[in-house]
Coordinates of all heavy atoms in Angstrom, one line a residue:
G18 N -6.2 5.5 -0.2 CA -7.3 4.5 0.2 C -8.7 5.2 0.2 O -8.8 6.4 -0.2
D19 N -9.5 4.6 0.8 CA -11.0 4.9 0.9 C -11.3 5.3 2.4 O -11.1 4.4 3.3 CB -11.9 3.8 0.5 CG -13.3 4.1 0.5 OD1 -13.7 5.1 1.2 OD2 -14.2 3.5 -0.1
I20 N -11.6 6.5 2.7 CA -11.6 6.9 4.1 C -12.7 6.1 4.9 O -12.6 5.9 6.0 CB -11.8 8.4 4.2 CG1 -11.5 8.9 5.6 CG2 -13.3 8.9 3.9 CD1 -11.2 10.4 5.6
V21 N -13.7 5.7 4.2 CA -14.9 5.0 4.9 C -14.4 3.8 5.6 O -15.1 3.3 6.5 CB -16.1 4.8 4.1 CG1 -16.7 6.0 3.3 CG2 -15.9 3.7 3.1
A31 N -15.9 15.7 4.5 CA -15.9 17.0 3.8 C -17.4 17.3 3.3 O -17.7 16.9 2.3 CB -15.1 16.8 2.6
A32 N -18.0 17.8 4.3 CA -19.5 18.1 4.2 C -19.8 19.5 3.6 O -18.9 20.2 3.3 CB -20.1 18.1 5.6
N33 N -21.1 19.8 3.4 CA -21.5 21.1 3.0 C -22.3 21.7 4.2 O -22.6 21.0 5.1 CB -22.3 21.1 1.7 CG -23.4 20.3 1.8 OD1 -24.4 20.5 2.7 ND2 -23.5 19.3 1.0
G38 N -25.9 15.6 3.5 CA -25.3 14.7 2.5 C -24.9 15.4 1.3 O -25.2 16.6 1.0
G39 N -24.3 14.6 0.3 CA -23.8 15.2 -0.9 C -23.1 14.2 -1.7 O -23.4 12.9 -1.5
G40 N -22.2 14.5 -2.6 CA -21.4 13.6 -3.4 C -20.0 13.4 -2.7 O -20.0 13.7 -1.5
G41 N -19.1 12.9 -3.6 CA -17.7 12.8 -3.0 C -17.6 11.9 -1.7 O -18.3 10.9 -1.5
V42 N -16.7 12.5 -0.9 CA -16.6 11.7 0.4 C -17.8 11.8 1.3 O -18.1 10.7 1.9 CB -15.5 12.6 1.3 CG1 -15.2 11.7 2.6 CG2 -14.1 12.7 0.5
D43 N -18.5 12.8 1.2 CA -19.8 12.9 1.9 C -20.8 11.8 1.6 O -21.3 11.1 2.4 CB -20.4 14.3 1.6 CG -21.4 14.9 2.6 OD1 -21.6 14.1 3.6 OD2 -21.9 15.9 2.4
A45 N -20.1 9.0 0.0 CA -19.5 7.7 0.5 C -19.7 7.5 2.0 O -20.1 6.3 2.3 CB -18.0 7.7 0.1
P123 N -9.9 13.5 5.0 CA -9.9 13.5 3.5 C -9.3 14.9 3.2 O -9.0 15.8 4.1 CB -11.3 13.4 3.1 CG -12.0 14.2 4.2 CD -11.2 14.1 5.6
A124 N -9.0 15.1 1.9 CA -8.4 16.4 1.5 C -9.6 17.3 1.3 O -10.1 17.6 0.1 CB -7.7 16.2 0.2
I125 N -10.0 18.0 2.4 CA -11.1 18.8 2.4 C -11.1 20.0 1.4 O -10.0 20.5 1.2 CB -11.3 19.5 3.8 CG1 -11.5 18.3 4.9 CG2 -12.5 20.5 3.9 CD1 -11.4 18.9 6.2
S126 N -12.2 20.2 0.7 CA -12.4 21.4 -0.3 C -11.7 21.1 -1.7 O -11.8 22.0 -2.6 CB -11.8 22.7 0.2 OG -12.8 23.3 1.2
T127 N -10.9 20.0 -1.9 CA -10.1 19.8 -3.0 C -10.8 19.1 -4.1 O -10.4 18.8 -5.2 CB -8.8 19.0 -2.8 OG1 -9.1 17.7 -2.3 CG2 -7.9 19.8 -1.7
G128 N -12.1 18.6 -3.8 CA -12.9 18.0 -5.0 C -13.9 19.1 -5.5 O -13.5 20.0 -6.2
A129 N -15.2 18.8 -5.2 CA -16.3 19.7 -5.8 C -16.0 21.2 -5.4 O -16.4 22.0 -6.2 CB -17.6 19.2 -5.1
Y130 N -15.3 21.4 -4.3 CA -15.2 22.8 -3.8 C -14.0 23.5 -4.5 O -13.8 24.6 -4.3 CB -15.1 22.9 -2.4 CG -16.5 22.9 -1.6 CD1 -17.6 22.7 -2.3 CD2 -16.6 23.0 -0.3 CE1 -18.9 22.6 -1.8 CE2 -17.8 23.0 0.3 CZ -18.9 22.8 -0.4 OH -20.2 22.9 0.2
G131 N -13.2 22.7 -5.3 CA -12.3 23.3 -6.3 C -11.0 23.9 -5.7 O -10.3 24.7 -6.4
V161 N -6.0 10.6 4.3 CA -6.3 9.6 3.3 C -6.7 10.3 1.8 O -7.7 11.0 1.7 CB -7.5 8.8 3.7 CG1 -8.0 7.6 2.8 CG2 -7.2 8.4 5.1
L162 N -6.0 9.8 0.9 CA -6.2 10.3 -0.5 C -6.7 9.2 -1.4 O -6.3 8.0 -1.3 CB -4.8 10.7 -1.1 CG -4.2 12.1 -0.7 CD1 -5.3 13.1 -0.4 CD2 -3.5 12.0 0.7
F163 N -7.7 9.5 -2.1 CA -8.4 8.6 -3.0 C -7.5 8.1 -4.2 O -7.5 7.0 -4.6 CB -9.7 9.1 -3.4 CG -10.8 8.2 -3.7 CD1 -11.1 7.2 -2.8 CD2 -11.5 8.2 -4.9 CE1 -12.1 6.2 -3.0 CE2 -12.5 7.3 -5.1 CZ -12.7 6.3 -4.2
D164 N -6.9 9.1 -4.8 CA -6.2 8.7 -6.1 C -4.7 9.0 -6.0 O -4.2 9.7 -5.1 CB -6.8 9.4 -7.3 CG -6.7 10.9 -7.2 OD1 -5.6 11.2 -7.7 OD2 -7.6 11.6 -6.7
Ligands
LIG1 N1 -12.0 8.5 0.5 C1 -11.0 9.5 0.4 N2 -11.0 10.6 -0.2 C2 -12.1 10.7 -1.1 C3 -13.2 9.7 -1.2 C4 -13.1 8.6 -0.3 N3 -14.0 7.5 -0.3 N4 -14.0 10.1 -2.2 C5 -13.5 11.2 -2.7 N5 -12.4 11.6 -2.1 P1 -15.2 16.2 -2.1 P2 -15.1 19.1 -1.2 C6 -11.5 12.7 -2.3 O1 -15.7 16.7 -3.5 O2 -14.2 19.5 -2.2 C7 -19.9 17.1 -1.4 O3 -20.9 16.9 -2.3 C8 -11.8 13.4 -3.5 O4 -11.0 13.0 -4.6 O5 -15.8 15.1 -1.5 O6 -14.9 19.5 0.3 C9 -20.2 17.8 -0.1 O7 -21.6 17.5 0.2 C10 -11.2 14.9 -3.3 O8 -9.7 14.9 -3.4 O9 -15.2 17.3 -1.0 C11 -20.1 19.3 -0.4 O10 -21.2 19.8 -1.0 C12 -11.5 15.1 -1.7 O11 -11.8 13.7 -1.3 C13 -18.9 19.2 -1.3 O12 -18.8 17.9 -2.0 C14 -12.5 16.0 -1.4 O13 -13.5 16.1 -2.3 C15 -17.6 19.4 -0.6 O14 -16.5 19.5 -1.5

Side-chain angles (χ1 to χ4, degrees):
D19 181 348
I20 199 166
V21 306
N33 62 61
V42 185
D43 200 3
I125 299 169
S126 286
T127 66
Y130 280 3
V161 184
L162 288 318
F163 206 51
D164 63 87

